[in-house]
Amino acid sequence: MTTPPALLIAGHGDRDDGGAQALRALLDAVAERCPGIPAAAGFTGRAPSALPLAEAVDGLAARGATEIVTVPLISEGPARRGLSAELTAATARHAGLSFVRGQAPDGHPLLLGAWERRLDEALGGGGARRPRDRARTTVLLVGGGSGDPYANAEVARGARLLWEGRGLAGVETAFLSYAAPDVPTGLERCRVLGAAVPGPDAPGRIVVLPCFPLPGDEQERLRLQTEGWGAAHPESEVACAEPVGAVAEVADAVVARYREAVRAEAEHRVAVH
Protein backbone atom coordinates (compact mmCIF):
# COMPACT_ATOMS: atom_id res chain seq x y z
CA MET A 1 0.00 0.00 0.00
CA THR A 2 1.40 3.40 -0.94
CA THR A 3 1.82 6.00 1.78
CA PRO A 4 -0.75 8.81 1.43
CA PRO A 5 0.58 12.34 0.94
CA ALA A 6 0.89 14.48 4.04
CA LEU A 7 -1.52 17.36 4.60
CA LEU A 8 -0.42 20.94 5.24
CA ILE A 9 -3.06 23.50 6.27
CA ALA A 10 -1.86 27.00 5.39
CA GLY A 11 -3.25 30.09 7.09
CA HIS A 12 -2.11 33.60 6.26
CA GLY A 13 -0.48 36.37 8.27
CA ASP A 14 -2.09 35.95 11.69
CA ARG A 15 -0.13 37.41 14.62
CA ASP A 16 -2.98 36.96 17.07
CA ASP A 17 -2.89 34.15 19.64
CA GLY A 18 -6.58 33.55 19.01
CA GLY A 19 -5.86 32.80 15.37
CA ALA A 20 -3.11 30.37 16.34
CA GLN A 21 -5.42 28.62 18.81
CA ALA A 22 -8.11 28.33 16.13
CA LEU A 23 -5.64 26.84 13.65
CA ARG A 24 -4.41 24.33 16.25
CA ALA A 25 -8.00 23.35 16.97
CA LEU A 26 -8.67 22.91 13.26
CA LEU A 27 -5.56 20.74 12.88
CA ASP A 28 -6.69 18.55 15.79
CA ALA A 29 -10.14 18.14 14.23
CA VAL A 30 -8.65 17.23 10.84
CA ALA A 31 -6.22 14.77 12.44
CA GLU A 32 -9.15 13.00 14.14
CA ARG A 33 -10.78 12.53 10.74
CA CYS A 34 -7.60 11.32 9.02
CA PRO A 35 -5.58 9.38 11.63
CA GLY A 36 -3.39 7.71 9.01
CA ILE A 37 -2.32 10.94 7.29
CA PRO A 38 0.55 13.06 8.65
CA ALA A 39 -0.84 16.58 9.09
CA ALA A 40 0.52 19.97 10.17
CA ALA A 41 -0.54 23.61 10.01
CA GLY A 42 1.05 27.05 10.01
CA PHE A 43 0.79 30.65 8.90
CA THR A 44 2.50 32.34 5.98
CA GLY A 45 3.28 36.06 5.85
CA ARG A 46 5.90 38.50 7.03
CA ALA A 47 4.45 38.97 10.51
CA PRO A 48 5.87 36.78 13.32
CA SER A 49 3.53 33.92 14.13
CA ALA A 50 3.20 31.36 16.90
CA LEU A 51 2.75 28.76 14.15
CA PRO A 52 5.18 29.45 11.26
CA LEU A 53 4.45 27.47 8.13
CA ALA A 54 8.15 26.71 7.64
CA GLU A 55 8.27 24.84 10.94
CA ALA A 56 5.15 22.89 9.99
CA VAL A 57 6.78 21.80 6.70
CA ASP A 58 10.04 20.91 8.42
CA GLY A 59 8.12 18.80 10.92
CA LEU A 60 6.37 16.85 8.16
CA ALA A 61 9.68 16.29 6.37
CA ALA A 62 11.21 15.02 9.61
CA ARG A 63 8.34 12.52 9.84
CA GLY A 64 9.30 11.15 6.44
CA ALA A 65 6.89 13.00 4.17
CA THR A 66 8.07 13.34 0.58
CA GLU A 67 4.81 14.60 -0.96
CA ILE A 68 2.63 17.20 0.75
CA VAL A 69 -0.85 18.38 -0.24
CA THR A 70 -1.27 22.00 0.78
CA VAL A 71 -4.77 23.25 1.55
CA PRO A 72 -4.77 27.06 1.93
CA LEU A 73 -7.49 28.69 4.03
CA ILE A 74 -7.55 31.77 1.76
CA SER A 75 -7.81 31.48 -2.01
CA GLU A 76 -5.50 34.12 -3.46
CA GLY A 77 -4.01 37.58 -3.07
CA PRO A 78 -1.07 38.02 -0.66
CA ALA A 79 -1.86 34.60 0.82
CA ARG A 80 -1.04 32.86 -2.48
CA ARG A 81 2.18 34.81 -3.01
CA GLY A 82 3.33 34.15 0.54
CA LEU A 83 2.51 30.46 0.30
CA SER A 84 4.33 30.07 -3.03
CA ALA A 85 7.46 31.65 -1.54
CA GLU A 86 7.28 29.39 1.52
CA LEU A 87 6.93 26.23 -0.55
CA THR A 88 9.78 27.21 -2.88
CA ALA A 89 12.04 27.75 0.13
CA ALA A 90 10.96 24.40 1.60
CA THR A 91 11.91 22.47 -1.56
CA ALA A 92 15.33 24.10 -1.37
CA ARG A 93 15.74 22.94 2.25
CA HIS A 94 14.49 19.40 1.68
CA ALA A 95 15.73 17.52 -1.37
CA GLY A 96 13.05 15.35 -2.95
CA LEU A 97 10.15 17.09 -1.26
CA SER A 98 7.22 17.98 -3.56
CA PHE A 99 3.94 19.82 -3.08
CA VAL A 100 0.46 19.48 -4.54
CA ARG A 101 -1.72 22.57 -4.28
CA GLY A 102 -5.26 22.00 -3.06
CA GLN A 103 -8.17 24.42 -3.21
CA ALA A 104 -9.24 26.59 -0.30
CA PRO A 105 -12.39 25.46 1.56
CA ASP A 106 -14.12 28.85 1.15
CA GLY A 107 -17.37 28.39 -0.72
CA HIS A 108 -17.60 24.65 0.02
CA PRO A 109 -21.19 23.47 0.53
CA LEU A 110 -20.11 21.67 3.71
CA LEU A 111 -19.88 25.09 5.38
CA LEU A 112 -23.58 25.94 4.90
CA GLY A 113 -24.65 25.06 8.43
CA ALA A 114 -21.81 27.01 10.00
CA TRP A 115 -22.55 30.06 7.83
CA GLU A 116 -26.19 29.96 8.87
CA ARG A 117 -25.23 29.94 12.56
CA ARG A 118 -23.01 33.00 12.08
CA LEU A 119 -25.78 34.70 10.12
CA ASP A 120 -28.22 34.18 12.99
CA GLU A 121 -25.69 35.54 15.48
CA ALA A 122 -25.14 38.66 13.37
CA LEU A 123 -28.91 39.22 13.22
CA GLY A 124 -29.40 38.79 16.95
CA GLY A 125 -30.02 35.11 17.44
CA GLY A 126 -33.58 33.82 17.63
CA GLY A 127 -35.20 36.77 15.86
CA ALA A 128 -33.36 35.90 12.67
CA ARG A 129 -35.36 32.69 12.39
CA ARG A 130 -38.68 34.47 12.02
CA PRO A 131 -39.78 34.39 8.37
CA ARG A 132 -40.47 38.12 8.27
CA ASP A 133 -37.00 38.98 9.60
CA ARG A 134 -35.26 36.59 7.26
CA ALA A 135 -37.18 38.06 4.33
CA ARG A 136 -35.79 41.51 5.16
CA THR A 137 -32.16 40.33 5.06
CA THR A 138 -29.73 40.27 2.15
CA VAL A 139 -26.44 38.43 2.67
CA LEU A 140 -23.14 39.36 1.02
CA LEU A 141 -20.98 36.23 0.96
CA VAL A 142 -17.32 37.29 0.67
CA GLY A 143 -14.51 35.08 -0.59
CA GLY A 144 -10.81 35.76 -0.68
CA GLY A 145 -10.84 36.07 -4.47
CA SER A 146 -8.86 34.11 -7.03
CA GLY A 147 -7.40 34.36 -10.49
CA ASP A 148 -8.97 30.93 -11.05
CA PRO A 149 -12.60 31.34 -12.17
CA TYR A 150 -13.44 27.85 -10.91
CA ALA A 151 -12.42 28.83 -7.37
CA ASN A 152 -14.59 31.95 -7.59
CA ALA A 153 -17.45 29.84 -8.91
CA GLU A 154 -17.29 27.80 -5.70
CA VAL A 155 -18.21 30.96 -3.76
CA ALA A 156 -21.08 31.62 -6.16
CA ARG A 157 -22.28 28.05 -5.71
CA GLY A 158 -22.13 28.43 -1.94
CA ALA A 159 -24.17 31.64 -2.18
CA ARG A 160 -26.87 29.91 -4.21
CA LEU A 161 -27.05 27.01 -1.77
CA LEU A 162 -27.19 29.39 1.21
CA TRP A 163 -30.12 31.23 -0.39
CA GLU A 164 -32.13 28.09 -1.19
CA GLY A 165 -34.90 27.41 1.30
CA ARG A 166 -33.77 29.83 4.00
CA GLY A 167 -36.24 32.63 3.34
CA LEU A 168 -33.59 35.30 2.76
CA ALA A 169 -34.21 38.23 0.43
CA GLY A 170 -31.09 37.29 -1.49
CA VAL A 171 -27.45 36.24 -1.28
CA GLU A 172 -24.88 38.14 -3.33
CA THR A 173 -21.13 37.54 -3.65
CA ALA A 174 -18.01 39.71 -3.43
CA PHE A 175 -14.26 39.17 -3.10
CA LEU A 176 -11.47 40.77 -1.11
CA SER A 177 -9.05 40.80 -4.06
CA TYR A 178 -8.27 39.42 -7.52
CA ALA A 179 -11.91 39.14 -8.58
CA ALA A 180 -14.99 41.31 -9.05
CA PRO A 181 -17.12 42.56 -7.49
CA ASP A 182 -15.16 43.95 -4.58
CA VAL A 183 -16.79 44.39 -1.17
CA PRO A 184 -18.05 48.00 -1.57
CA THR A 185 -19.52 47.14 -4.98
CA GLY A 186 -21.19 44.06 -3.55
CA LEU A 187 -22.66 46.08 -0.68
CA GLU A 188 -23.97 48.68 -3.11
CA ARG A 189 -25.64 45.94 -5.16
CA CYS A 190 -27.32 44.62 -2.00
CA ARG A 191 -28.54 48.13 -1.16
CA VAL A 192 -29.93 48.78 -4.65
CA LEU A 193 -31.67 45.41 -4.83
CA GLY A 194 -33.29 46.01 -1.45
CA ALA A 195 -34.39 49.53 -2.37
CA ALA A 196 -36.05 48.20 -5.53
CA VAL A 197 -38.54 46.14 -3.50
CA PRO A 198 -41.63 48.20 -2.52
CA GLY A 199 -43.50 47.96 0.76
CA PRO A 200 -42.81 48.00 4.51
CA ASP A 201 -41.29 44.51 4.45
CA ALA A 202 -38.71 45.36 1.80
CA PRO A 203 -35.17 44.05 2.48
CA GLY A 204 -33.70 46.45 5.00
CA ARG A 205 -30.63 44.69 6.37
CA ILE A 206 -27.36 43.48 4.94
CA VAL A 207 -25.14 40.89 6.62
CA VAL A 208 -21.58 40.51 5.34
CA LEU A 209 -20.57 36.88 5.78
CA PRO A 210 -16.93 35.80 5.27
CA CYS A 211 -16.18 32.56 3.44
CA PHE A 212 -12.69 32.30 4.93
CA PRO A 213 -13.03 30.23 8.07
CA LEU A 214 -10.57 31.59 10.65
CA PRO A 215 -10.12 35.06 12.17
CA GLY A 216 -7.12 37.04 10.98
CA ASP A 217 -5.91 39.80 8.69
CA GLU A 218 -8.58 39.12 6.04
CA GLN A 219 -11.40 39.49 8.55
CA GLU A 220 -9.96 42.80 9.74
CA ARG A 221 -9.82 44.06 6.14
CA LEU A 222 -13.39 42.95 5.59
CA ARG A 223 -14.60 44.63 8.77
CA LEU A 224 -12.91 47.92 7.88
CA GLN A 225 -14.39 47.91 4.37
CA THR A 226 -17.85 47.12 5.75
CA GLU A 227 -17.66 49.84 8.39
CA GLY A 228 -16.40 52.35 5.82
CA TRP A 229 -19.28 51.60 3.46
CA GLY A 230 -21.76 51.73 6.33
CA ALA A 231 -20.49 55.16 7.43
CA ALA A 232 -21.05 56.44 3.88
CA HIS A 233 -24.56 54.94 3.81
CA PRO A 234 -26.10 55.64 7.23
CA GLU A 235 -29.55 54.83 5.87
CA SER A 236 -28.51 51.17 5.44
CA GLU A 237 -28.37 48.64 8.28
CA VAL A 238 -25.27 46.52 7.76
CA ALA A 239 -23.50 44.01 10.01
CA CYS A 240 -20.31 42.00 9.55
CA ALA A 241 -20.52 38.40 10.77
CA GLU A 242 -17.58 36.61 12.37
CA PRO A 243 -15.70 33.79 10.59
CA VAL A 244 -17.07 30.38 11.46
CA GLY A 245 -13.88 29.28 13.23
CA ALA A 246 -12.50 25.77 13.70
CA VAL A 247 -15.88 24.03 13.65
CA ALA A 248 -16.60 20.51 12.40
CA GLU A 249 -17.82 21.75 9.02
CA VAL A 250 -14.49 23.47 8.32
CA ALA A 251 -12.53 20.34 9.23
CA ASP A 252 -14.76 18.31 6.91
CA ALA A 253 -14.24 20.85 4.10
CA VAL A 254 -10.44 20.80 4.53
CA VAL A 255 -10.42 17.00 4.37
CA ALA A 256 -12.63 17.14 1.26
CA ARG A 257 -10.22 19.58 -0.43
CA TYR A 258 -7.29 17.32 0.47
CA ARG A 259 -8.98 14.29 -1.04
CA GLU A 260 -9.94 16.23 -4.17
CA ALA A 261 -6.31 17.26 -4.65
CA VAL A 262 -5.01 13.71 -4.12
CA ARG A 263 -7.54 12.35 -6.60
CA ALA A 264 -6.76 15.02 -9.20
CA GLU A 265 -3.02 14.43 -8.89
CA ALA A 266 -3.48 10.66 -9.30
CA GLU A 267 -5.62 11.19 -12.41
CA HIS A 268 -3.02 13.58 -13.81
CA ARG A 269 -0.25 11.02 -13.35
CA VAL A 270 -2.30 8.33 -15.07
CA ALA A 271 -2.98 10.70 -17.99
CA VAL A 272 0.69 11.60 -18.30
CA HIS A 273 1.82 7.99 -18.31
Side-chain angles (χ1 to χ4, degrees), residues 10 28 41 49 130 144 158 163 213 254:
D28 290 343
S49 169
R130 295 180 300 186
W163 178 77
V254 168

Side-chain angles (χ1 to χ4, degrees), residues 18 23 39 49 71 75-76 92 110 114 118 146 152 155-156 165 167 169 191 195 199 203 218 238 261:
L23 188 56
S49 169
V71 176
S75 295
E76 286 265 359
L110 287 170
R118 286 304 193 200
S146 173
N152 296 330
V155 179
R191 185 192 69 80
E218 287 76 19
V238 60

Side-chain angles (χ1 to χ4, degrees), residues 16 21 35 44 51 88 90 106-107 111 134 145 238 263:
D16 184 77
Q21 291 174 5
T44 65
L51 288 176
T88 298
D106 52 354
L111 299 181
R134 283 286 183 102
V238 60
R263 186 165 53 250

Side-chain angles (χ1 to χ4, degrees), residues 83-269:
L83 180 57
S84 295
E86 292 270 12
L87 300 187
T88 298
T91 55
R93 292 197 306 274
H94 303 284
L97 188 63
S98 64
F99 292 92
V100 175
R101 297 288 289 269
Q103 190 173 321
D106 52 354
H108 200 290
L110 287 170
L111 299 181
L112 287 170
W115 288 340
E116 189 169 13
R117 291 196 299 273
R118 286 304 193 200
L119 171 61
D120 283 346
E121 291 170 7
L123 291 174
R129 295 193 178 277
R130 295 180 300 186
R132 180 172 177 177
D133 286 347
R134 283 286 183 102
R136 292 186 57 247
T137 301
T138 303
V139 175
L140 183 65
L141 189 64
V142 180
S146 173
D148 177 4
Y150 292 98
N152 296 330
E154 284 287 290
V155 179
R157 178 171 71 142
R160 176 69 191 193
L161 292 173
L162 182 63
W163 178 77
E164 290 279 358
R166 288 175 172 81
L168 297 164
V171 181
E172 299 295 319
T173 58
F175 301 93
L176 281 177
S177 59
Y178 274 77
D182 60 14
V183 173
T185 302
L187 283 165
E188 183 64 18
R189 177 172 174 79
C190 292
R191 185 192 69 80
V192 170
L193 289 174
V197 179
D201 293 331
R205 299 183 295 194
I206 304 169
V207 174
V208 178
L209 187 62
C211 276
F212 34 87
L214 300 188
D217 295 348
E218 287 76 19
Q219 176 66 10
E220 184 61 23
R221 285 175 57 200
L222 180 57
R223 190 186 308 281
L224 290 173
Q225 290 183 38
T226 301
E227 290 176 352
W229 185 90
H233 299 82
E235 75 285 357
S236 297
E237 182 183 347
V238 60
C240 189
E242 294 296 320
V244 295
V247 294
E249 292 95 334
V250 175
D252 291 339
V254 168
V255 172
R257 294 304 194 201
Y258 166 83
R259 289 175 175 159
E260 289 169 6
V262 171
R263 186 165 53 250
E265 181 66 14
E267 291 172 353
H268 171 72
R269 287 172 180 170

